Amino acid sequence: VHEHLSKTKNYLHNVAVFGALLNMYGKCVSFDCALHIFQDFRKTTKLYVRTWGTMIGLCQEYSRLDDALSLFDEMQQDGIEPNESIYISLLTLASKSKKLEAGEKIHEHLRARNFERRPLISAALINMYGSCMGLSSAISLFDSHRQEHGPPNT
């Protein structure tokens, strides 16, 4: 299917076909092909935050932190503001990769957008700092979140 579409380039103008191809490659463990399709589509079509989130989500599935951070930068250069799920994917990747510096970079973006106090973001930050040996930051965030939102439901 993709070979036929590649010859005609029809998929470059159809968001639904594009999404299906990304999904297929995501499920068939071919990250590099999905990234290639994404970059082709990006040349001809303005992408929405959801499409960027799909690709960054694939980066998360395949533990491709550097690719995710590059896409994150490109997305912002294109004038697209990241949403909460993109930040959570990036923090999860930093956590899995034990890359404290990358997590701190994302945290700075969150501070600038006043996202760090959102419950799911706060939980992802605490997890990232805890996983990356930033325990004092994890404890500080936990205490701050607890003061603002009360103790967690158990």
Side-chain angles (χ1 to χ4, degrees):
V1 172
H2 182 211
E3 183 177 331
H4 172 72
L5 291 171
S6 293
K7 288 177 184 173
T8 64
K9 297 289 185 189
N10 285 339
Y11 74 94
L12 294 176
H13 304 289
N14 187 318
V15 175
V17 172
F18 171 68
L21 282 171
L22 276 183
N23 188 39
M24 177 187 75
Y25 281 111
K27 290 181 179 177
C28 295
V29 192
S30 187
F31 176 84
D32 291 324
C33 287
L35 183 59
H36 179 73
I37 290 167
F38 179 85
Q39 295 297 0
D40 274 355
F41 195 72
R42 185 172 165 230
K43 291 175 189 172
T44 61
T45 306
K46 179 172 174 47
L47 300 178
Y48 297 99
V49 69
R50 186 177 198 141
T51 309
W52 286 97
T54 298
M55 197 64 225
I56 290 172
L58 286 173
C59 291
Q60 179 186 344
E61 285 182 39
Y62 294 103
S63 300
R64 306 275 295 249
L65 177 62
D66 291 337
D67 289 318
L69 292 173
S70 292
L71 288 168
F72 180 70
D73 290 339
E74 291 172 26
M75 173 182 157
Q76 292 173 88
Q77 290 168 5
D78 283 1
I80 306 296
E81 290 292 323
N83 61 20
E84 191 170 318
S85 67
I86 288 171
Y87 283 120
I88 290 170
S89 289
L90 292 168
L91 289 168
T92 301
L93 264 168
S95 178
K96 282 183 184 178
S97 304
K98 308 284 190 242
K99 301 283 185 170
L100 181 59
E101 188 175 309
E104 289 173 332
K105 176 184 173 187
I106 300 306
H107 192 178
E108 287 303 314
H109 284 269
L110 291 164
R111 275 193 195 112
R113 294 196 60 209
N114 202 25
F115 271 31
E116 73 177 333
R117 297 210 183 278
R118 293 181 179 193
L120 292 175
I121 295 285
S122 182
L125 281 166
I126 292 166
N127 183 54
M128 184 276 298
Y129 279 114
S131 296
C132 296
M133 303 308 287
L135 296 178
S136 62
S137 294
I139 291 167
S140 176
L141 282 166
F142 179 80
D143 289 342
S144 174
H145 183 79
R146 199 171 86 194
Q147 287 175 351
E148 188 172 321
H149 298 285
N153 293 331
T154 55

